[in-house]
Amino acid sequence: MPQLDDKAATRRLLDRFGFGPRPGELESLSQQGFAAACAQVLAQRPDGTPLPDLGAEPPQAGKKASTAERKQRQKTLRGQQIAAAQWWLDRMAGTASALPERLTWFWHGHFATSVQKVHSARLMLHQNQTLRGLGGGDFGALAKAMIVDPAMLLWLDGQQNKVGAANENLAREFMELFTLGVGHYSETDVREAARALTGWMVNRDAMTAEQVAKRHDSGSKTVLGITGNLDAGGFVDIVLNRPDSPRFVASRLWFRLVSATPPSADALGRLVAGYGPQRSIGGLLRAVLAEPAFRDPATTLVKQPVEWAVGLMRALAVQPSKLPVTQLEAGLRGLGQVPFEPPSVGGWPAAQSWLTTSAGLARLHLAQLIAAHADVSHITSGAAAGQTLGVDTWSQRSTAALADLKGAELVAMAACTPEYVVSQ
Amino acid sequence: MTTTGNKRRISRRGFILASGVVGAGALAAGATQVDWTDLIAAATRDPRSADTGVLVVCTLYGGNDGLNTVIPAADPAYQKARPDLAYQPHEVLDLGDGLGLNPGMKGLKKLWDDKRLAVVRGVGYPKPDHSHFRSMAIWQTASPDSPQPTGWLGRWLDVTGDDPLRAVSIEPVLPPLMAGQRAAGATLPVTGLKLPNGTVGKAFSLLGQPEAGESPDRARVARSIADLHTTATKLGPAVKPSGANKGQLAAQLDVVAGLVEAGVPTRAYSVSLGGFDTHADEKGTQQRLLTELDDALSAFVDRVRGKKVVVLVYSEFGRRVGANASDGTDHGTAGPVFVIGDGVNGGFYGEQPSLTDLDNGDLKESTDFRDVYATMLRDVLGEDPGKILAGHDTTVPGLL
């Protein structure tokens, strides 16, 4: 198969293992060749940005609360939610350490949790920080943290799951969507696993969760053929030891970072070997980069709306929180993707699902908003726009489309070209 | 119906396959060179176009409490299960058979009396899932057993060509029910699609040009921009800004009515109303929402009278029979589905689920939801349901 040259491969690395280059980043990273660039990116650790102070959570509205009190509470929660999303977008757009942020974003879509049910931006940020801290290490530790994460428990009705009245939501989604994939467990496994997960209660103020002994089912359970007095940790161990699990995790990461076309059986084998018995996410990422398909020009990937918008803001050195917040949010909402609001536990759509008719117009409006807040004085030609956005060559179509435009309109239109909407 | 359906299903990719059936002049220009304008003009000239059915799917997000929508008010088991939430027999709008509509649904009661409202009772699927997301996914994909990446109307698009104008969602994001493997419905926000004009507008339309040798992903971006321009040009003028005081659903249905009146070739629409996830203080909230639904639907049905439009109203599940501790109900199972329109044979279909013979506190389904879809596919869209519903082709007899 044909291979991208070192510079093009490095650009793809910055796209897929980050959110695209900041000004000058591609040039400096590609100087030493692709292998050195990979080593440098894989060594990135989360930067030290502190979490924002959202203030205290408004107290739960009691049964007797007035409509005005309820409205005020909603307003405060909504404000905190906007602040949290803005903080994260700033971090994605500004960080020099992009891989951990991209992984945090990936895991957010994988362990998809929505603030619309959790009703707490603080708990969403708490989960976000866990994803960031564990997202590049051992998948087992990450999975064990997520299964008792306060936001996750609220999201998948973990609090309703108690001895004698099991709620299967978390047990089912954990196997189906987080660790094994559908078809690799039975309905009995779901029921038994739900029993293993009984008794967890969330303390919203302390942002903690604990297993309450009298709500926990301490009887014997059998999950995937293994019997014992299983609890959450024991259940996770059983699931992750199944041979289906490494293949599932590797495939999901490939799907979001590399291509909507699944890896070949051989390639999947190599990815699983990289993941290894340590369940190393870093090892998996290293194996992804070693795949010939990673350097195949045909391995394109449709950028998700947040990836596209953050990439554009990185390229133009625009800080998201400097944009009118309601317009930025409306823009992302029009494209169908707002951080902390995945549409379901299955996460966001992927690939060509993003390419709807009305998304084309929403994309143009958001690109115009971003470009209007950028210094574009140095971008005076299609070629210069290409250089800023990391597009080497424009198609004839895009060359023609960009020919008569200048300044912010030129940059905005360039961001809507197929060459930029799709990561090459 | 089937022949007409084929004729109306032509699209650029579908043309070669369809040409044997259709044969006629508008398509003689050559398979790959038929453009939108020709097709739409041909469709508009087609004298049979008035006979082709139009389906409007209205999704109620959040799990509408079916027992307080079509209400067995006189059933002692109903009164006993939810004493504080129950409507009294004199409050409901009597439909006969011991059932009455929610007092907020006066317009639908008129449609019922007019034999234009069918109530399919106890609609659900085997092994019900109580998660909103799973259950909504099951309803939208019509795949109760295993997850499916495509929606049922998306697969209808897949088997009938790839013209995006044939299925239109009046929502900013395409609902999964209209996403197919190869084809997807167009999205048309209620605010319309106001394309830029002048230099920017020209540049933007140029971005929709295909480029030889381009990757499939890039080609799809260009195609979506071209489709956007087609949608905005062909459907945009029919979108009139709605009255400021109208609810979201009424505004969406206004757009649909405008498109139907304009004679656009769209065969399926998606609209929605959210907010039905009422676990607490349910009665007032639900009645307000049902009133909004009722106002919007009855105005719409009156406006498109005589135009072969059928509306399907469903929610991802009903509610549990018994109330919970906070004047609400928790996620349940089967619920009523409304089918409204001129061609509809009004009345009850399916058995009303028993309130005493329950499955773990939940109603037992009596009608498989795929029967309702199969009826819509066969009798409104003129397609063989088996091709779209994994072989499922049982319909609801007599409904249409």
Side-chain angles (χ1 to χ4, degrees):
Chain A
M1 80 183 52
Q3 297 280 286
L4 295 175
D5 65 29
D6 268 21
K7 186 169 180 194
T10 304
R11 174 180 300 125
R12 179 175 283 178
L13 171 71
L14 284 167
D15 264 5
R16 312 295 179 85
F17 280 44
F19 296 95
R22 297 180 299 164
E25 206 167 17
L26 175 60
E27 290 66 29
S28 69
L29 193 65
S30 57
Q31 269 170 9
Q32 318 263 320
F34 180 61
C38 289
Q40 208 173 319
V41 167
L42 287 171
Q44 290 175 353
R45 294 293 169 263
D47 62 35
T49 309
L51 289 179
D53 180 8
L54 299 179
E57 202 152 293
Q60 296 277 350
K63 275 195 107 178
K64 296 205 170 65
S66 68
T67 308
E69 282 168 333
R70 286 175 198 276
K71 278 210 170 127
Q72 183 54 45
R73 179 167 192 276
Q74 282 303 320
K75 203 176 153 197
T76 308
L77 283 175
R78 178 95 187 101
Q80 292 179 337
Q81 185 186 328
I82 289 170
Q86 210 173 22
W87 171 85
W88 194 13
L89 288 169
D90 269 2
R91 191 162 180 178
M92 292 181 197
T95 186
S97 204
L99 175 60
E101 238 24 76
R102 179 63 185 258
L103 288 176
T104 307
W105 170 245
F106 165 72
W107 293 121
H108 173 48
H110 182 83
F111 292 103
T113 306
S114 171
V115 71
Q116 290 188 308
K117 179 165 170 188
V118 176
H119 292 304
S120 166
R122 289 167 74 248
L123 288 178
M124 293 304 296
L125 275 184
H126 180 77
Q127 183 191 70
N128 187 255
Q129 193 68 336
T130 306
L131 295 174
R132 188 172 290 107
L134 300 176
D138 161 10
F139 181 76
L142 177 60
K144 281 184 181 171
M146 281 303 113
I147 204 163
V148 297
D149 174 78
M152 179 66 78
L153 287 166
L154 294 170
W155 169 237
L156 294 181
D157 305 316
Q159 292 217 117
Q160 268 78 56
N161 187 18
K162 60 178 184 181
V163 61
N167 183 307
E168 297 166 2
N169 209 358
L170 177 57
R172 178 187 305 279
E173 307 302 14
F174 190 82
M175 290 192 281
E176 177 184 328
L177 298 171
F178 302 162
T179 55
L180 278 181
V182 75
H184 299 302
Y185 54 86
S186 69
E187 285 300 304
T188 309
D189 291 325
V190 172
R191 281 193 289 275
E192 292 284 288
R195 292 178 55 216
L197 300 180
T198 44
W200 283 85
M201 297 294 286
V202 173
N203 180 330
R204 280 179 175 267
D205 291 331
M207 297 198 286
T208 55
E210 63 173 335
Q211 187 186 286
V212 177
K214 68 177 197 300
R215 292 172 67 94
H216 180 68
D217 183 339
S218 55
S220 173
K221 306 113 187 161
T222 303
V223 177
L224 295 161
I226 295 178
T227 303
N229 173 16
L230 303 173
D231 61 6
F235 165 60
V236 175
D237 285 333
I238 290 170
V239 170
L240 298 194
N241 279 332
R242 302 287 289 189
D244 299 312
S245 180
R247 287 197 288 267
F248 177 79
V249 174
S251 300
R252 296 313 297 169
L253 190 112
W254 180 270
F255 181 66
R256 290 291 180 181
L257 266 54
V258 184
S259 172
T261 308
S264 67
D266 285 355
L268 186 55
R270 292 189 291 270
L271 299 179
V272 166
Y275 178 77
Q278 308 81 22
R279 305 191 179 105
S280 164
I281 298 160
L284 173 56
L285 293 169
R286 195 168 289 109
V288 165
L289 293 177
E291 276 305 312
F294 192 83
R295 292 188 68 162
D296 181 349
T299 311
T300 59
L301 187 71
V302 177
K303 294 174 187 172
Q304 298 192 67
V306 163
E307 294 159 11
W308 170 84
V310 166
L312 181 59
M313 291 188 277
R314 280 177 78 84
L316 297 176
V318 169
Q319 190 182 333
S321 59
K322 294 280 164 63
L323 300 178
V325 63
T326 49
Q327 287 182 46
L328 174 59
E329 202 204 315
L332 289 173
R333 204 171 286 287
L335 284 167
Q337 190 169 51
V338 178
F340 302 121
E341 293 183 44
S344 81
V345 64
W348 281 284
Q352 298 193 356
S353 318
W354 291 116
L355 306 175
T356 65
T357 46
S358 55
L361 189 56
R363 203 182 291 121
L364 178 62
H365 288 152
L366 184 51
Q368 287 172 324
L369 175 74
I370 292 168
H373 288 78
D375 174 8
V376 294
S377 54
H378 59 293
I379 306 173
T380 51
S381 66
Q387 199 179 7
T388 302
L389 298 186
V391 177
D392 276 342
T393 354
W394 295 114
S395 61
Q396 286 181 16
R397 170 237 2 259
S398 301
T399 306
L402 300 177
D404 295 336
L405 299 176
K406 290 201 272 292
E409 295 296 5
L410 169 61
V411 176
M413 196 62 67
C416 295
T417 56
E419 291 92 317
Y420 188 71
V421 171
V422 175
S423 169
Q424 300 304 311
Chain B
M1 191 63 155
T2 307
T3 314
T4 315
N6 278 336
K7 187 153 191 170
R8 302 274 297 163
R9 250 179 265 127
I10 294 151
S11 70
R12 287 181 297 194
R13 186 153 61 197
F15 166 70
I16 298 172
L17 296 171
S19 60
V21 180
V22 179
L27 303 163
T32 54
Q33 279 145 17
V34 175
D35 75 4
W36 295 110
T37 316
D38 293 342
L39 280 171
I40 290 159
T44 316
R45 284 196 305 271
D46 185 341
R48 281 171 294 186
S49 65
D51 288 341
T52 53
V54 171
L55 175 65
V56 180
V57 177
C58 177
T59 304
L60 307 181
Y61 284 97
N64 177 40
D65 181 5
L67 279 178
N68 271 5
T69 306
V70 177
I71 306 170
D75 188 332
Y78 165 77
Q79 295 292 341
K80 190 176 165 212
R82 39 171 76 184
D84 295 331
L85 272 181
Y87 286 95
Q88 297 307 311
H90 70 270
E91 295 177 287
V92 304
L93 310 171
D94 187 32
L95 302 180
D97 239 9
L99 296 168
L101 281 175
N102 184 288
M105 307 184 87
K106 297 187 173 63
L108 260 60
K109 174 64 166 57
K110 281 203 194 95
L111 290 169
W112 173 270
D113 292 340
D114 213 17
K115 298 281 179 218
R116 289 194 285 158
L117 164 63
V119 178
V120 191
R121 299 179 290 196
V123 186
Y125 54 89
K127 287 189 276 174
D129 196 297
H130 289 82
S131 149
H132 288 293
F133 306 100
R134 297 270 306 155
S135 198
M136 190 50 91
I138 286 168
W139 273 89
Q140 296 213 356
T141 61
S143 176
D145 304 320
S146 57
Q148 243 282 2
T150 56
W152 68 283
L153 286 175
R155 292 197 297 280
W156 168 71
L157 283 173
D158 277 344
V159 303
T160 56
D162 63 355
D163 175 350
L165 292 188
R166 286 170 320 111
V168 172
S169 162
I170 316 295
E171 292 145 310
V173 179
L174 195 70
L177 84 150
M178 280 192 173
Q181 193 71 48
R182 294 176 296 118
T187 53
L188 182 66
V190 71
T191 46
L193 291 169
K194 199 177 173 317
L195 291 177
N197 43 30
T199 327
V200 173
K202 182 176 156 243
F204 194 36
S205 79
L206 285 173
L207 282 190
Q209 296 290 319
E211 178 103 2
E214 200 159 44
S215 72
D217 281 343
R218 276 195 193 181
R220 184 77 216 176
V221 178
R223 171 68 190 270
S224 72
I225 293 172
D227 287 351
L228 163 67
H229 283 82
T230 308
T231 309
T233 312
K234 300 294 171 190
L235 306 190
V239 179
K240 309 244 171 12
S242 233
N245 295 326
K246 288 201 173 167
Q248 182 62 25
L249 178 64
Q252 291 176 24
L253 286 171
D254 264 1
V255 172
V256 175
L259 296 174
V260 170
E261 285 164 358
V264 301
T266 306
R267 299 290 305 277
Y269 294 93
S270 167
V271 296
S272 61
L273 180 63
F276 285 91
D277 193 14
T278 48
H279 287 264
D281 303 324
E282 181 173 298
K283 200 169 171 179
T285 311
Q286 193 207 14
Q287 185 164 333
R288 181 178 57 69
L289 286 166
L290 289 179
T291 305
E292 181 179 345
L293 174 70
D294 183 81
D295 289 347
L297 284 177
S298 35
F300 174 73
V301 170
D302 279 348
R303 188 169 157 190
V304 297
R305 190 144 198 198
K307 294 197 164 63
K308 298 263 175 203
V309 178
V310 171
V311 187
L312 170 71
V313 187
Y314 76 100
S315 190
E316 71 265 39
F317 42 57
R319 296 271 155 174
R320 296 185 84 88
V321 178
N324 63 22
S326 42
D327 288 340
T329 49
D330 291 323
H331 301 175
T333 53
V337 162
F338 293 135
V339 182
I340 312 166
D342 290 334
V344 175
N345 297 314
F348 284 123
Y349 296 84
E351 294 297 314
Q352 178 68 10
S354 163
L355 292 182
T356 46
D357 177 22
L358 298 176
D359 176 11
N360 202 9
D362 275 324
L363 299 175
K364 291 181 178 170
E365 55 133 341
S366 61
T367 308
D368 191 300
F369 74 126
R370 287 166 296 184
D371 293 1
V372 179
Y373 288 173
T375 312
M376 300 300 126
L377 288 166
R378 192 191 66 183
D379 295 340
V380 182
L381 298 176
E383 189 51 75
D384 168 14
K387 286 199 272 184
I388 289 147
L389 302 176
H392 190 106
D393 58 3
T394 359
T395 54
V396 180
L399 180 58
L400 281 161

